[in-house]
Amino acid sequence: MVKELELLTVGKTMKYITYFPLLFVSLIFTLNASAQNKAKLDSLEQLFSTSQSLDKKAVILTSLFLNNRNIEKQKKIYTRSKRLQSEHPSSAILAIYNEYMTLFLASQDSSITPSMIKRGLHIEKELDNYTVPLIHKIRIVDLIAELYQKTNQMKKSIEYNFYSIKLIENGVFETNQEKQKLLVIGYITLSNSLGVIKDENSLKYANKAIEILESSSFENKELLTGIYGNYTITLRRAGLYDSALVYAKKIEQLIPPSDKNRQAKAYHLIASIYTKLENYENAKVYAIKAFEVSEKNDRIFTSMMASYILGKAYNRLEQYDSAKISLERVAQQAKKLNQTDMLVNVYSELTFTCRKKMDINCAFKNIELANIYQDSVTQKRREKETKELAIKYETELKEATIEKLNQEAKIKDLELKNSYYIIAGSVILGFVILVAVWIFFRQKNIIDTFEKEQAKLRWRRAQINPHFFFNVLSAIQMLVYEKETERVSKYITGFSYLMRQVLEGSNQEKVSLEEEIKFLNTYLSLEQLSLEFDYKIIEEAQDESDELEIEDIFIPTMLLQPFVENAIEHGLRKSTKSEKNIEIKFTEISQNLLQVSIKDNGVGRNQERKKQHISRALEITKDRQKLMKDAFEYEIIDHKDENQNALGTEVVFSIKI
């Protein structure tokens, strides 16, 4: 029985132990393209203001779009470009560039569909008819490769990776360093793509990237860190752990001492490689460094990963009491972050610890927990695969139906075309309504089935005012009547994303700030279909020189949406002001506290309405406050002028992070 337990424990540990470090490294060292040359951007802005040629203005705006990797700045440039196109609708090159920007932004916010890939191929082909900067051609080719990769068509993605490299190799650039930089990024991207399909040439192209990098005088530490990080992944994948360690140490030297977050992640990377080399003394040293730095900076995820390696190192060094302390800490953190895969790993490793301590009851208890969480992982994976297959099937079916209807419409005369669009729109609208009704009854079924307070909370958290659904659907119907088929597709995609997030969010306690901001952007853009207003989302880090690390901050799921909805429905929709605005601001007050402000300039709240209207947002939030044990606080501020006239309403949250 003990022998059987030993084999089972080792098997599970080996199966799952490599997943987290590799994924973690990929997240740390993705190429950083956000550092911009301010002088170059200023120069482009000056060229735009002085240029008289419309085609040249279109090229300059696209260059600004490509150099501004911040998504909000890109959206502003896209708005400028669309405004220019509305003033000059006959410009073909401007229309193509706007189509590229539309596709790029859609690929960041939505699920990828076959029609998006077709649009990318169309843009790439159309650009051949014009004299455009080579970098623009390269970027559309890179986007096509990315679209293929996101739809798991890796062979096509790799084909366009090669095409991009060929364009760079045969192209002429302002400086040789610019060409070398593009080649380095191109080769490392190709290497990563080949690594996904376990092609042995992955290391070959990664070596090419490093040869170019180390024979040149690159001073951009962000670029160097990114390339070395991806190269380290390739070396690890090839089993060349000694070489991987060399480049991981280079990464450690490149990171400035002030950047504690990335410093902790670099220590974790080195510790994980030492573990692969079975050098557990050094693995322990670097894991302790990673743990201490991440704990001081309140980086729970990095702390958890470091503690796991530390626990494993202690086990191999036969320091079982220390191993148990570290691993039990990992289990607590993993539960807090809902990291089911890590729970499988940590309980398997704890089984190993207990077995070595000859505590058989402890060993059986932990292997049983490992099995329970493994079943949960398997179930989630199956559910995810089922959802992906369903979405893929529905998308393909919808596109096939639309394509068939389009073919039939070409045969009919102009009068029948108008009828066709109305019928097609009604079919799509009816489908969306059925989905909305299905969501409603599914949620009702949840309430009837689960009577516990936590289940009720998940239900209430998932609610969105039905007025919103029907406002959006009515607006989409109007777009259908106006034959705005491209916008119809865009908004239906956004609406589907929103509904999917609501469904998935109902099963999650917390969501990253990055996902919450994406959700709010989609929600507000859909509300703009039925009400004209402006909004902006502001992110402020504790240190003004830094950016808010939205991917590492987690807040309660669906906490903000009901108040944003209130601001629109009860603040802006009833307002007669010509300019209606909503401002959502995320401010990092400290390492443990995030402040969120939702402010509108609507009609405000009067005393009579306060008494008569029971706010759904307040009702839900009070329930959640009780169940979440004061994880957040909030207050509502009624802004008034000196004459006590309403200027709007502001809701301020203080959320523990």
Side-chain angles (χ1 to χ4, degrees):
M1 181 67 74
V2 174
K3 184 67 176 176
E4 180 183 351
L5 181 63
E6 178 179 353
L7 290 172
L8 182 58
T9 303
V10 173
K12 280 189 173 291
T13 304
M14 293 304 295
K15 184 174 181 181
Y16 298 104
I17 202 163
T18 59
Y19 173 76
F20 272 94
L22 185 57
L23 175 62
F24 188 51
V25 173
S26 300
L27 292 173
I28 303 171
F29 299 112
T30 302
L31 286 179
N32 189 336
S34 62
Q36 300 299 324
N37 186 331
K38 189 174 184 303
K40 183 175 182 180
L41 295 174
D42 292 341
S43 174
L44 287 169
E45 287 286 4
Q46 188 175 2
L47 278 173
F48 181 81
S49 61
T50 58
S51 176
Q52 300 298 318
S53 167
L54 181 61
D55 286 356
K56 191 172 182 181
K57 280 180 177 288
V59 169
I60 294 169
L61 274 176
T62 306
S63 296
L64 280 167
F65 183 88
L66 293 172
N67 283 280
N68 275 296
R69 303 299 288 185
N70 180 285
I71 192 73
E72 293 304 320
K73 292 180 180 178
Q74 286 178 324
K75 287 179 180 179
K76 289 179 181 178
I77 295 167
Y78 172 63
T79 301
R80 288 169 62 185
S81 185
K82 290 294 286 183
R83 189 184 305 121
L84 189 64
Q85 185 184 11
S86 66
E87 295 169 358
H88 305 278
S90 61
S91 173
I93 186 64
L94 186 57
I96 293 170
Y97 274 140
N98 277 328
E99 189 175 356
Y100 165 73
M101 294 183 202
T102 302
L103 178 60
F104 179 88
L105 293 172
S107 70
Q108 309 304 304
D109 296 333
S110 309
S111 300
I112 308 304
T113 64
S115 63
M116 292 171 70
I117 296 176
K118 288 180 182 178
R119 285 168 62 191
L121 296 171
H122 168 74
I123 295 166
E124 190 262 327
K125 184 177 180 181
E126 286 295 313
L127 282 179
D128 288 337
N129 299 324
Y130 301 90
T131 303
V132 299
L134 178 59
I135 189 65
H136 293 185
K137 178 77 172 178
I138 292 169
R139 289 299 178 228
I140 183 59
V141 171
D142 289 342
L143 178 58
I144 294 169
E146 181 184 345
L147 295 174
Y148 276 126
Q149 185 181 45
K150 286 182 176 180
T151 53
N152 295 320
Q153 299 182 65
M154 291 307 302
K155 288 186 178 180
K156 295 295 291 184
S157 178
I158 291 167
E159 177 186 328
Y160 276 87
N161 288 150
F162 274 115
Y163 183 22
S164 178
I165 291 170
K166 183 178 178 181
L167 289 173
I168 298 167
E169 288 176 336
N170 297 333
V172 177
F173 298 87
E174 291 183 9
T175 64
N176 187 51
Q177 190 177 44
E178 182 184 0
K179 182 173 184 175
Q180 289 177 322
K181 176 183 174 181
L182 289 170
L183 277 175
V184 168
I185 296 173
Y187 280 129
I188 208 73
T189 303
L190 174 61
S191 170
N192 289 341
S193 298
L194 290 168
V196 172
I197 62 172
K198 299 181 180 179
D199 190 303
E200 60 184 12
N201 288 313
S202 174
L203 184 60
K204 167 186 169 183
Y205 290 106
N207 286 334
K208 275 193 172 187
I210 294 300
E211 286 172 11
I212 298 172
L213 187 71
E214 296 188 339
S215 65
S216 308
S217 56
F218 287 105
E219 297 180 356
N220 186 331
K221 290 186 178 181
E222 296 289 343
L223 176 64
L224 287 170
T225 303
I227 297 296
Y228 284 153
N230 280 271
Y231 189 50
T232 303
I233 294 171
T234 304
L235 292 170
R236 283 185 49 158
R237 190 184 286 130
L240 303 175
Y241 301 119
D242 289 322
S243 299
L245 184 61
V246 171
Y247 283 91
K249 290 289 186 70
K250 288 186 178 183
I251 293 167
E252 179 189 7
Q253 294 169 5
L254 285 168
I255 297 173
S258 60
D259 194 343
K260 299 298 182 183
N261 184 33
R262 295 175 66 212
Q263 192 178 64
K265 292 174 181 177
Y267 290 150
H268 168 266
L269 171 62
I270 295 170
S272 69
I273 297 173
Y274 272 128
T275 302
K276 287 291 185 182
L277 290 167
E278 298 184 358
N279 185 337
Y280 295 109
E281 281 291 350
N282 280 329
K284 181 179 77 172
V285 171
Y286 274 93
I288 290 172
K289 284 184 178 182
F291 173 74
E292 289 176 347
V293 174
S294 57
E295 279 289 296
K296 286 179 182 178
N297 291 274
D298 199 25
R299 298 299 175 192
I300 300 176
F301 188 81
T302 311
S303 170
M304 177 186 72
M305 301 298 294
S307 293
Y308 176 73
I309 289 181
L310 187 57
K312 184 180 177 184
Y314 279 137
N315 264 339
R316 301 314 179 270
L317 294 170
E318 300 182 1
Q319 300 172 21
Y320 301 121
D321 290 334
S322 297
K324 188 175 182 182
I325 292 170
S326 292
L327 292 169
E328 286 177 347
R329 180 171 57 236
V330 175
Q332 292 176 356
Q333 292 170 325
K335 288 176 182 176
K336 188 175 181 180
L337 296 175
N338 196 26
Q339 293 290 334
T340 314
D341 290 286
M342 176 55 81
L343 287 168
V344 176
N345 288 345
V346 75
Y347 284 123
S348 297
E349 195 66 31
L350 274 168
T351 304
F352 178 87
T353 307
C354 295
R355 183 177 58 77
K356 290 296 183 180
K357 293 182 70 175
M358 302 304 293
D359 189 342
I360 300 302
N361 289 333
C362 171
F364 272 110
K365 174 185 174 183
N366 283 291
I367 198 62
E368 184 177 3
L369 286 169
N371 285 327
I372 289 170
Y373 282 107
Q374 176 52 41
D375 290 342
S376 176
V377 169
T378 303
Q379 180 64 25
K380 286 181 180 178
R381 188 178 297 119
R382 287 174 180 169
E383 288 176 357
K384 182 181 177 183
E385 290 171 355
T386 301
K387 286 180 181 178
E388 288 175 351
L389 285 171
I391 291 170
K392 182 179 179 182
Y393 172 76
E394 288 174 5
T395 303
E396 290 177 352
L397 180 62
K398 188 187 298 180
E399 291 184 350
T401 303
I402 293 173
E403 182 67 25
K404 181 180 178 181
L405 291 171
N406 284 337
Q407 292 295 329
E408 292 175 356
K410 289 178 182 178
I411 301 171
K412 298 178 181 180
D413 57 31
L414 183 61
E415 188 177 6
L416 289 176
K417 282 183 181 179
N418 292 332
S419 300
Y420 158 72
Y421 283 117
I422 294 172
I423 294 170
S426 299
V427 170
I428 295 171
L429 189 60
F431 175 76
V432 174
I433 290 172
L434 285 174
V435 171
V437 172
W438 175 79
I439 292 172
F440 174 79
F441 282 107
R442 180 181 180 274
Q443 292 175 328
K444 186 175 184 301
N445 185 55
I446 291 173
I447 288 182
D448 293 337
T449 306
F450 300 96
E451 296 180 356
K452 293 182 180 180
E453 288 297 324
Q454 192 63 27
K456 289 181 181 178
L457 178 58
R458 288 199 298 268
W459 153 253
R460 301 195 66 183
R461 191 168 61 212
Q463 294 183 77
I464 288 184
N465 196 314
H467 292 121
F468 163 71
F469 283 114
F470 290 102
N471 285 344
V472 172
L473 296 178
S474 297
I476 292 174
Q477 186 178 36
M478 289 303 298
L479 292 176
V480 171
Y481 288 146
E482 295 171 3
K483 302 181 185 178
E484 295 280 352
T485 54
E486 208 168 288
R487 291 181 67 195
V488 169
S489 176
K490 174 185 175 182
Y491 286 119
I492 287 178
T493 301
F495 188 56
S496 300
Y497 161 78
L498 195 66
M499 291 191 295
R500 185 168 64 253
Q501 290 301 104
V502 170
L503 287 173
E504 292 177 355
S506 66
N507 291 315
Q508 297 175 349
E509 287 299 325
K510 291 193 174 185
V511 66
S512 72
L513 196 54
E514 181 180 27
E515 283 296 323
E516 181 70 8
I517 290 172
K518 181 179 177 182
F519 177 86
L520 290 174
N521 267 315
T522 305
Y523 174 77
L524 286 164
S525 66
L526 287 171
E527 284 283 14
Q528 284 177 324
L529 284 171
S530 62
L531 178 66
E532 186 173 346
F533 66 91
D534 293 321
Y535 74 89
K536 59 181 177 180
I537 298 178
I538 302 170
E539 305 162 21
E540 292 183 354
Q542 186 179 1
D543 188 340
E544 293 182 359
S545 62
D546 290 340
E547 292 184 357
L548 189 61
E549 296 183 352
I550 57 178
E551 69 278 4
D552 291 332
I553 295 174
F554 289 79
I555 66 172
T557 305
M558 293 294 292
L559 177 64
L560 307 179
Q561 184 276 331
F563 288 90
V564 176
E565 181 183 313
N566 270 6
I568 294 170
E569 293 300 324
H570 303 299
L572 300 186
R573 200 173 293 279
K574 297 179 180 181
S575 174
T576 58
K577 295 177 182 178
S578 57
E579 293 186 4
K580 300 179 177 68
N581 301 300
I582 291 181
E583 178 183 281
I584 303 174
K585 182 186 289 187
F586 297 89
T587 306
E588 188 179 32
I589 303 300
S590 68
Q591 290 182 345
N592 300 315
L593 188 64
L594 177 74
Q595 186 180 85
V596 183
S597 166
I598 302 169
K599 185 177 181 181
D600 67 74
N601 69 337
V603 297
R605 303 185 305 162
N606 58 56
Q607 293 302 317
E608 184 179 349
R609 182 177 169 273
K610 288 180 186 178
K611 294 177 182 178
Q612 294 177 353
H613 176 69
I614 300 175
S615 170
R616 184 180 64 86
L618 288 175
E619 200 175 278
I620 293 171
T621 305
K622 286 178 181 177
D623 287 347
R624 296 187 71 181
Q625 245 184 334
K626 292 177 184 176
L627 290 168
M628 297 186 76
K629 297 181 180 178
D630 298 324
F632 63 88
E633 295 178 353
Y634 69 96
E635 70 170 313
I636 302 174
I637 303 169
D638 296 309
H639 291 285
K640 297 181 180 180
D641 61 16
E642 57 187 11
N643 296 321
Q644 296 301 302
N645 294 317
L647 296 177
T649 306
E650 181 177 8
V651 183
V652 180
F653 284 90
S654 296
I655 305 172
K656 294 179 183 178
I657 56 174

